[in-house]
Amino acid sequence: MAKIARTVESSEEYKRKMRDDHRFDRKHSGIAEIMTHSAYQTATDIEAAALVSPTLSGNTARLLSMFRPEQPIIAATPNETVQRQLLLNWGVVPLLVTIADDSEEMIQNTMRVAIDTGYLKKSDKVVMVAGVPIISPMMINTIRVFFVGNVLARGQNGGGYSSLSASKHQTAGLGSTSYVPTAAAAQIHSAQAEPVRDDSGYRVTGRVVRAETLEDAFVALRKKGGEILVTRNLDMSFVPILRVVNGLVIENPTELGEDTLSMINPNLVWVSQVSGAMKTLEPGLTITVDSREKLVYEGTI
């Protein structure tokens, strides 16, 4: 029966019938229906690999399912009951994700799980539709197009965390260089989030904190830490914050070498001489830093 259904649904006659039966009446539709239809149309026009919907209730994925898109509908939810219910909806691939503090983190968790489970791969075009923030009274108000592995910037030097460097430097100090951590640094360090890394140890994913000075960076940091610092110039005055960030993007050459950075923070992944980084990488944007390729990617890869 499943083989028959797949054969029928892949036929042009069936697709034509679905388009005729699901003609969209914009005049008699609400905002949620209009937004999901726009997402469906966008995915069709750009030949996206998937429609992605981070959802708490599953309603967005159900609305998308009504249009019978050719792409899979990847619905990520932290609710196991919703995940099981969505198995009954046409074309929906329900994935379980960890609950997030805010919408951007929820979106990136969704992308990460979809990549890890093989539903998305590098260079795929993806249409994301969701309500932002997650607790918004409007069920759907955002449509975004992602390119998985979209390169935002390229550096000339890079280095940092790997299993080898971590074991080599985990007990190392700064030699003659020392500092007294500020109260803000101590508070952030004590509650620092676990970094999001791939198995190679050369990539780290986090949210951009853009700052010209140490003081600006501490103001922008969240208390749980784990962000990626983007700055124009890096010197020893930044040592306190280098202990609490997971990644580093520097626009200009830096006076701090790889050994020094590794001693300051064995888990740090960094790329330097990234032209235009302060202009290109917006605060709050989720990026992935690849120290081996010396690249900065949009989102999670």
Side-chain angles (χ1 to χ4, degrees), residues 120-251:
L120 294 178
K121 63 183 186 302
K122 190 174 179 179
S123 79
D124 278 347
K125 287 178 287 189
V126 177
V127 175
M128 187 280 298
V129 55
V132 176
I134 292 295
I135 58 173
S136 169
M138 294 182 64
M139 185 170 69
I140 303 167
N141 59 14
T142 301
I143 298 172
R144 290 166 63 180
V145 176
F146 286 93
F147 290 81
V148 180
N150 182 32
V151 176
L152 297 177
R154 185 184 301 271
Q156 296 184 34
N157 290 302
Y161 178 87
S162 69
S163 57
L164 178 62
S165 66
S167 62
K168 178 181 177 181
H169 295 294
Q170 62 184 353
T171 59
L174 282 175
S176 60
T177 303
S178 63
Y179 78 99
V180 177
T182 64
Q187 185 179 24
I188 293 171
H189 185 65
S190 65
Q192 188 172 1
E194 284 296 315
V196 178
R197 306 187 187 280
D198 71 345
D199 293 337
S200 71
Y202 292 97
R203 287 179 181 168
V204 65
T205 298
R207 199 178 311 210
V208 168
V209 171
R210 193 172 66 187
E212 294 278 5
T213 67
L214 175 67
E215 291 73 19
D216 292 343
F218 273 128
V219 169
L221 274 177
R222 295 183 298 176
K223 287 187 177 180
K224 70 176 184 179
E227 285 94 346
I228 294 176
L229 174 65
V230 177
T231 189
R232 197 179 310 277
N233 299 296
L234 186 76
D235 54 34
M236 290 303 292
S237 69
F238 279 85
V239 167
I241 203 167
L242 294 182
R243 291 188 181 274
V244 297
V245 296
N246 292 328
L248 178 62
V249 178
I250 316 160
E251 186 167 299

Side-chain angles (χ1 to χ4, degrees), residues 222-299:
R222 295 183 298 176
K223 287 187 177 180
K224 70 176 184 179
E227 285 94 346
I228 294 176
L229 174 65
V230 177
T231 189
R232 197 179 310 277
N233 299 296
L234 186 76
D235 54 34
M236 290 303 292
S237 69
F238 279 85
V239 167
I241 203 167
L242 294 182
R243 291 188 181 274
V244 297
V245 296
N246 292 328
L248 178 62
V249 178
I250 316 160
E251 186 167 299
N252 295 324
T254 175
E255 65 184 48
L256 304 183
E258 181 170 5
D259 288 344
T260 302
L261 290 171
S262 295
M263 285 190 290
I264 294 170
N265 182 351
N267 294 318
L268 191 66
V269 173
W270 59 273
V271 176
S272 67
Q273 293 177 262
V274 182
S275 178
M278 291 291 283
K279 182 178 180 181
T280 303
L281 306 178
E282 294 289 337
L285 178 69
T286 299
I287 62 173
T288 297
V289 177
D290 187 319
S291 63
R292 183 157 50 186
E293 300 295 332
K294 304 175 185 62
L295 295 174
V296 179
Y297 296 93
E298 179 182 10

Side-chain angles (χ1 to χ4, degrees), residues 69-100:
E70 295 185 19
Q71 299 84 358
I73 302 164
I74 300 173
T77 177
N79 189 315
E80 291 188 33
T81 300
V82 171
Q83 182 198 23
R84 290 193 294 269
Q85 291 171 345
L86 288 174
L87 288 168
L88 300 176
N89 290 95
W90 188 95
V92 176
V93 179
L95 302 177
L96 196 64
V97 297
T98 305
I99 189 68

Side-chain angles (χ1 to χ4, degrees), residues 4-22 65-70 90-91:
I4 293 172
R6 283 194 292 268
T7 301
V8 171
E9 290 182 358
S10 64
S11 69
E12 287 301 320
E13 182 181 357
Y14 176 84
K15 293 176 183 177
R16 185 169 56 252
K17 179 175 174 54
M18 287 299 100
R19 286 194 294 268
D20 292 341
D21 290 349
H22 292 84
S65 178
M66 291 171 52
F67 299 109
R68 298 294 194 270
E70 295 185 19
W90 188 95

